[in-house]
Amino acid sequence: MDSKEAIGVASTFLDGRGIGYCEPIKVFPKGEEGFVVILTVPEALDPNVVVDPPEVRVLVSIIGRKAELLPDM
């Protein structure tokens, strides 16, 4: 799995739950587990709106191509 595939898995996961996201998107390797995909919340791009946190973090597992939301601290 590469970063583009990880973004695809994370996108499908968020779409299935009705969670909006947009670019910029960041991808970081998470050891041998998989990737952490960080997607921007669309409302965070509006300068008149305060969104906390301004992004959604998804852990994408290489094994089974599973995704789960990560808490943002």
Side-chain angles (χ1 to χ4, degrees):
M1 176 181 290
D2 62 13
S3 60
K4 286 186 180 188
E5 288 177 285
I7 291 171
V9 171
S11 296
T12 301
F13 174 78
L14 294 175
D15 288 342
R17 283 154 183 79
I19 299 173
Y21 59 90
C22 62
E23 293 187 3
I25 299 171
K26 301 174 199 163
V27 181
F28 298 96
K30 176 90 169 149
E32 294 181 14
E33 288 180 54
F35 296 90
V36 174
V37 182
I38 303 173
L39 303 103
T40 303
V41 174
E43 293 81 9
L45 299 177
D46 184 346
N48 298 315
V49 177
V50 175
V51 179
D52 187 28
E55 59 212 12
V56 176
R57 296 173 184 259
V58 179
L59 175 62
V60 177
S61 174
I62 291 175
I63 299 171
R65 300 175 57 95
K66 295 182 182 179
E68 66 179 87
L69 284 176
L70 290 175
D72 196 10
M73 299 186 185

